[in-house]
Amino acid sequence: MSQKVTIATVARHARVSRQTVSNVLNAPHIVREETRQRVQEAIAVLGYRANQAARQMRTGRSRLIATRIEPTRDGINGSVLDRFLHGLTDAAATAGYRIMLYTAADDTAELATYDDLLGAYDLDGFVLTGTDHGDPRTVWLAEREVPFVTFGRPWDTPNQHPWVDVDGASGAAQATNRLLETGHRRIAFIGWPTGSGVGDDRRSGWRATLRAVGIDPAGLDRETSDGIVQGDQAARSLLALADPPTGLVCASDSLALGALRAVRALDRPVAVTGFDDTPVAEAVGLTSVSQPLGRAAAGCMELLARILDGPQADGATQVLLRPALVVRQSA
């Protein structure tokens, strides 16, 4: 039986380091021509990943896509992006691509990271997450003609670039309708401060649903940053009203878990609904809106692959997916 050929085998044959072999495969432009030719000859002689290497040389693509990984924050909502990244990795592998993860503290740091990554690697494109109003990242990439798609809408100009998103207004509307169907009329919303694209979208679904049945939502909206403590405080504020709500729709599972903690501490018969259907929501029996993250990730990869195939590729460049309410509470 022939011995398996690895990067180390190629490195020994070409008399270079394993990192140099990796650079030749993933970012050949940073390797000296003489060294690159020696490594490519070793690849050809040894048969290491010959098909992929040949495809890269023929198409001019690295088959490498970059995306940002977010901090874990409270360990609850971070799982949403984790599930998206797993789906994106699976979809990329099926399409013959690989995912490179990077991290950045904020948008400014992310722009600097783009510059570093594009200088060091021959990236085919980016998948961005967490879009917001006036997003500088999309402008930066578009000005440099770097292919990208976003998981999230460009909130200011919907047709500005290709995107896949989940209809948050629909999700919040489903949660509100469920409470209406079970007899609730005082239904409050706990969400993020006005100006958040995602948060405002979810709030609009709650507000429109109440108004459609003749209920005035005034005074039943609490804005706060995300987190269990913040959800607890917002719920206590609402339950202190002279005519308190009997149902709460929350913009995230973190806020909903905080609200649930307040409801139980005050021993109030209040139904709480979250958003994102995280594993914690399932564990505690919390009704929550589930995002189709696998479909969203596959949609992002499909869109980006079509962009890379050229302008002749057909198909929609904006995809809005519908979430589904997962009911776990009896109330």
Side-chain angles (χ1 to χ4, degrees), residues 1-321:
M1 180 180 296
S2 60
Q3 184 179 4
K4 181 179 179 180
V5 179
T6 66
I7 281 184
T9 310
V10 175
R12 286 195 298 270
H13 189 93
R15 303 186 305 284
V16 297
S17 68
R18 285 179 292 180
Q19 183 59 53
T20 298
V21 176
S22 178
N23 289 341
V24 170
L25 292 169
N26 299 312
H29 63 284
I30 70 172
V31 183
R32 288 191 309 164
E33 182 178 358
E34 177 186 350
T35 304
R36 186 170 67 245
Q37 289 180 352
R38 192 162 75 245
V39 172
Q40 289 170 342
E41 288 172 2
I43 288 172
V45 169
L46 298 172
Y48 175 72
R49 301 180 67 180
N51 292 337
Q52 181 172 341
R55 178 173 61 184
Q56 179 175 334
M57 293 176 188
R58 182 176 66 254
T59 64
R61 294 188 194 173
S62 64
R63 317 296 291 189
L64 191 61
I65 306 299
T67 193
R68 175 179 171 181
I69 184 168
E70 298 282 353
T72 57
R73 294 181 293 170
D74 59 13
I76 298 172
N77 293 322
S79 67
V80 177
L81 184 60
D82 288 346
R83 286 152 58 197
F84 175 79
L85 291 177
H86 279 290
L88 186 65
T89 302
D90 289 342
T94 300
Y97 289 84
R98 292 164 295 154
I99 299 297
M100 170 186 283
L101 299 178
Y102 63 90
T103 187
D106 52 35
D107 287 348
T108 300
E110 188 164 1
L111 295 182
T113 301
Y114 291 165
D115 216 13
D116 291 341
L117 290 174
L118 291 169
Y121 300 94
D122 187 20
L123 296 172
D124 281 348
F126 288 81
V127 174
L128 308 186
T129 58
T131 57
D132 212 336
H133 295 284
D135 198 320
R137 303 170 303 162
T138 59
V139 175
W140 195 98
L141 292 171
E143 286 177 348
R144 291 157 180 78
E145 298 185 345
V146 178
F148 72 92
V149 299
T150 62
F151 176 39
R153 276 165 277 180
W155 297 101
D156 303 308
T157 310
N159 297 322
Q160 185 176 4
H161 57 70
W163 54 264
V164 176
D165 200 8
V166 176
D167 191 343
S170 170
Q174 291 177 55
T176 307
N177 270 319
R178 168 68 182 177
L179 292 172
L180 289 169
E181 290 167 359
T182 53
H184 297 275
R185 287 297 178 269
R186 291 283 288 175
I187 302 170
F189 184 85
I190 300 176
W192 307 313
T194 300
S196 159
V198 174
D200 291 349
D201 187 42
R202 295 178 183 182
R203 179 181 288 104
S204 71
W206 160 79
R207 183 184 292 119
T209 303
L210 290 184
R211 286 176 173 166
V213 296
I215 297 175
D216 184 2
L220 291 174
D221 181 4
R222 292 294 182 271
E223 297 183 4
T224 183
S225 56
D226 204 29
I228 294 176
V229 172
Q230 291 83 350
D232 184 314
Q233 293 170 345
R236 289 174 186 270
S237 169
L238 288 163
L239 296 177
L241 294 173
D243 186 9
T246 60
L248 298 174
V249 175
C250 302
S252 73
D253 281 351
S254 286
L255 290 172
L257 288 165
L260 192 62
R261 185 169 73 179
V263 165
R264 289 174 175 173
L266 297 172
D267 194 23
R268 298 289 190 86
V270 178
V272 179
T273 302
F275 206 113
D276 291 329
D277 193 30
T278 58
V280 175
E282 182 178 6
V284 302
L286 175 70
T287 291
S288 186
V289 178
S290 177
Q291 298 195 59
L293 296 170
R295 287 169 54 204
C300 285
M301 193 62 238
E302 180 182 346
L303 264 183
L304 187 56
R306 276 202 267 120
I307 292 169
L308 294 171
D309 285 341
Q312 73 280 2
D314 296 324
T317 56
Q318 289 90 36
V319 179
L320 187 61
L321 301 173

